[in-house]
Structure formats: C-alpha cells, structure tokens
Amino acid sequence: LVLFLHGAGERGNDNRKQLKHGGQMWLNPVNRKKYPAFILLPQCPAENYWGYEMRPNSLEPFGMPDNPELTTTIRTLKSLLDTFLDMPQVDKLRVYIMGLSMGGMATYDMVIRYPEIFAAAVPICGTVNPVRIGKELREIKFRIFHGDTDSVVTPEGSREAYKALKAIDASVEYIEFVGCDHNSWNPAFNYPDFMYLKSATKLFSVLLASKRPLITELADKLRLKYPLLPTISPCPTMRLEAIRSIIPISCRRYPKSV
C-alpha cells in the first residue's frame, strides 16, 4: 500500500485536486496492470495543513515546531490508513508513504508518529525540525528530493533531515536538483533511477519491494525455536516505469555512503 500526500495547492473537498501531481503515474493503466498496488490519495481540507494546525511561521528546519500536537487531520488520516491496513489483501510489511511540499512535511510527521507502520518514505520538497528524528526511524528506508533554488520550502530542511537520518544510521539517499525551484516533484517523478536504491533492494518509487525488516528477523528467530512456524516470503519485486523527462535536469546526489 502506498499513501501519497499532496501539497497545499491541492487542498479542498472535491476529491479530485489531489490527483494533480503524480496522479497519472498511479492511474496509468499499463502500470496498474503490471504493478498492482493499493494507492491511497486522500485530500486535506482547505482550512487544514496535514501535520500542523496551520502553516508554520517558519519553514526553515530549526524554525519548524519540535513537538507539534497531533492534528485532527493526521488523526483522521491515521484512521483512514488503519481501515486499509485491516484489509487482508494489504501486505502489512510493505506500507509506504510519499508526499510533496506540505505532504512532504506530513510524510515526516507520519513516520515520526507511526514508525512501526512504514517500510519506506519519500519526502519531496518537504521539511522537518531535525530534532524530531530519532533512532526509531532507523528501520525505514528514505529517499529525499529537493530543488536547490526552492524559494518556498528551502532545501535546508531536506539537507538537515538527511544529516539527522545519517546520524542514526538510517538507510537514506538525498537527491538535490540544480536550478530547480519548488516544483521538484516533476524531476523527481522523472528521475532516471527513481525506482531504485543503490542496493540489491528494488523499491517502487523507492518503495514497493521494501518490507519491514525487524518483523521478518523476529520471525526467523522464532522459527529457530519453533521450527513449525511458516516462512515469511517477500512479495514479488515490483517496479514502476518512470516517465522519462524530455529536458535533462542536472542534480546533486548525496549517496548513502556519504
């Protein structure tokens, strides 16, 4: 299951605007047939701001709230997510979250509040106060995107999040697009290896083949003690074909080895 969180410009109650950025990627019939997945695209009410009661006064990372209260919107979002997680068809080890701008901020907020749920996260042009990033995020795979000339949400938020995640030894990759302003979701969606981490693990937009490792490791330990327990097998690797950008975009890539 992929939870996709839109930006501030797509808020409302029409249940349509949230498809503006990235919607066609999920709705493409070829992709839907080749790479089946549950894609959850909720819409934030116009007067709300996902993980914050209102737009923070400062979007600089250390100016962001360091202990924000749980908002009604996030509480409702979690309830919606739980409804899908109760479905037997959903693989609980392969739940992923991605979001852009306001949704990128909410991506951080959700994984910080509910780290036990998510296997991977992709914040695009988001920000977070890095003091909120703790060792409980170590088991989540991250790929972060941002434009280096973003005039709305400055890239310092992504840079500081990357450094904080590296400090806890999380699996994280940061890709920064040179000369790109706020709409870094466009080159992100078109990034040549958008579907892959530089490892043996393939992800669906850095996602669909990742799974929660600790649960599998625990099952393996239990199986040594109780050999009749069934084996937990990962689902088949799935990939999403990226739409190639006509205009090449240069970028700075901050690999996991940095």
Side-chain angles (χ1 to χ4, degrees), residues 21-22 28 39 80 93 98 100 110 156 172 175 180 182 201-202 221 236 239 252:
H21 302 299
N28 184 299
I39 311 298
L80 176 65
L93 300 184
M98 67 185 306
L100 54 91
M110 285 289 288
E156 280 70 26
V172 56
I175 297 155
C180 182
H182 189 52
T201 303
K202 295 185 178 65
K221 292 178 181 178
R239 298 183 301 164
R252 298 188 188 94

Side-chain angles (χ1 to χ4, degrees), residues 9-131:
E10 293 74 61
R11 290 174 293 178
N13 59 5
D14 63 352
N15 200 28
R16 295 182 63 87
K17 285 195 292 186
Q18 74 269 34
L19 302 177
K20 180 178 180 180
H21 302 299
Q24 291 304 314
M25 181 169 61
W26 311 115
L27 293 173
N28 184 299
V30 175
N31 291 331
R32 292 176 63 187
K33 182 177 180 179
K34 292 176 67 176
Y35 315 112
F38 292 94
I39 311 298
L40 185 56
L41 295 98
Q43 186 175 34
C44 180
E47 66 276 9
N48 296 341
Y49 206 81
W50 284 133
Y52 303 94
E53 291 296 340
M54 60 184 67
R55 188 180 191 271
N57 293 327
S58 172
L59 298 181
E60 293 296 324
F62 291 102
M64 293 285 287
D66 60 1
N67 187 27
E69 294 185 6
L70 178 65
T71 65
T72 300
T73 307
I74 289 294
R75 187 180 293 111
T76 303
L77 178 62
K78 175 59 163 54
S79 178
L80 176 65
L81 179 60
D82 287 341
T83 299
F84 280 81
L85 294 180
D86 286 339
M87 297 170 58
Q89 303 95 322
V90 172
D91 185 346
K92 311 305 185 294
L93 300 184
R94 299 168 70 194
V95 180
Y96 318 102
I97 184 168
M98 67 185 306
L100 54 91
S101 192
M102 179 186 75
M105 302 176 206
T107 296
Y108 288 117
D109 191 71
M110 285 289 288
V111 297
I112 289 168
R113 295 186 186 280
Y114 312 108
E116 71 282 0
I117 292 179
F118 301 102
V122 184
I124 303 172
C125 59
T127 186
V128 66
N129 193 318
V131 303

Side-chain angles (χ1 to χ4, degrees), residues 113-154:
R113 295 186 186 280
Y114 312 108
E116 71 282 0
I117 292 179
F118 301 102
V122 184
I124 303 172
C125 59
T127 186
V128 66
N129 193 318
V131 303
R132 298 185 66 196
I133 294 176
K135 61 182 180 180
E136 62 275 4
L137 302 186
R138 189 180 300 162
E139 302 302 331
I140 302 174
K141 295 181 183 294
F142 284 86
R143 183 176 255 186
I144 303 170
F145 292 94
H146 217 119
D148 75 337
T149 61
D150 195 323
S151 58
V152 180
V153 183
T154 62

